């Protein structure tokens, strides 16, 4: 799983005018999934199901 930071740099993710992360392919705002056992947050595109990790 790619990190959000890398994906932003690669253009896989973008930010919309409200500074939300959006999928570069679908242009849909990402959902957030917190895993209590992990130190990361998983961001998921509701449209294509791609996942990126965000280090907290
Ligand atoms: Zn997508």
């Amino acid at each position: 799983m790619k990190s959000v930071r890398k994906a932003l740099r690669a253009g896989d993710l973008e930010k919309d005018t409200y500074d939300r992360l959006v999928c570069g392919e679908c242009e849909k705002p990402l959902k957030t999934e917190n895993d209590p056992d992990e130190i990361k947050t998983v961001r998921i595109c509701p449209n294509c199901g791609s996942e990126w990790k965000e280090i907290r």
Side-chain angles (χ1 to χ4, degrees):
M1 200 187 299
K2 255 191 197 178
S3 71
V4 165
R5 196 180 298 178
K6 264 191 186 167
L8 275 172
R9 212 182 303 145
D12 298 340
L13 287 177
E14 289 168 19
K15 286 206 168 169
D16 69 7
T17 47
Y18 305 104
D19 211 35
R20 296 179 304 188
L21 286 167
V22 296
C23 178
E25 293 249 322
C26 316
E27 297 179 355
K28 298 276 185 197
L30 302 185
K31 291 192 299 183
T32 302
E33 206 162 83
N34 286 310
D35 186 338
D37 296 330
E38 302 259 2
I39 52 154
K40 63 174 166 37
T41 300
V42 178
R43 307 300 306 268
I44 303 165
C45 173
N47 195 54
C48 67
S50 296
E51 296 181 349
W52 297 270
K53 64 175 190 281
E54 196 167 56
I55 310 296
R56 272 181 269 169

